[in-house]
Amino acid sequence: MKPRFEISDAGEERTIRVRMIGQFDLRTMNEFAREYRRVSRVYAGTPHMVLADMRGSQPASPEVALVLGETIEFSRQNGVVCCAHLSDDTVQRLQAARLARQIAISSDITFDVVSLEEAERVLAEKRQQLLPGLVGAKPTGGPTPDTKQRDTL
């Protein structure tokens, strides 16, 4: 399946939503990584969350997984305090979990969920715990919040 992604920023929820589908090659993963960094810079290192909907994604080759791991590391260095990870492929889910564990920045902050509804519930709970006083406040740094689509999902 052709790789596609969408990245959107729900600024008032302090949440970046990522949707990835298909078998990513190195070129497309690098495009994703560049766009993710661009969108996330609006937070300028302040706490925020990620909903990573990877249903339909397939496990990545080692070189592609390296880029994904570097992107996860970037996200944590730049303020991600919680990630809800939704996947329908066991191998892909395990690969993402392994990449997240390899990052020594903090203990794992990723929660595997089975539906978008559960992802939203987990993030809502964690927002109250981890982002008191920040929810509803739009981020102020970097580019304006927006959505980037790579092909149509």
Side-chain angles (χ1 to χ4, degrees), residues 19-115:
R19 180 75 172 104
M20 299 174 77
I21 298 173
Q23 179 69 52
F24 278 72
D25 56 21
L26 188 56
R27 181 186 59 79
T28 310
M29 185 59 76
N30 279 323
E31 287 176 17
F32 166 79
R34 275 191 302 276
E35 184 59 20
Y36 179 86
R37 284 177 167 90
R38 188 190 70 76
V39 170
S40 69
R41 283 196 178 96
V42 71
Y43 291 100
T46 60
H48 61 285
M49 300 185 174
V50 172
L51 191 163
D53 183 349
M54 300 180 79
R55 292 173 297 171
S57 290
Q58 298 170 12
S61 70
E63 65 181 351
V64 172
L66 179 64
V67 175
L68 180 58
E70 290 168 350
T71 305
I72 294 169
E73 182 175 22
F74 172 87
S75 74
R76 292 187 182 184
Q77 289 173 342
N78 287 280
V80 170
V81 295
C82 180
C83 176
H85 180 243
L86 175 58
S87 178
D88 58 1
D89 183 283
T90 301
V91 175
Q92 188 280 326
R93 184 175 60 247
L94 292 171
Q95 184 179 49
R98 179 181 50 78
L99 292 170
R101 277 194 320 273
Q102 291 175 341
I103 300 166
I105 295 168
S106 63
S107 61
D108 196 23
I109 56 174
T110 302
F111 295 85
D112 287 314
V113 295
V114 297
S115 68

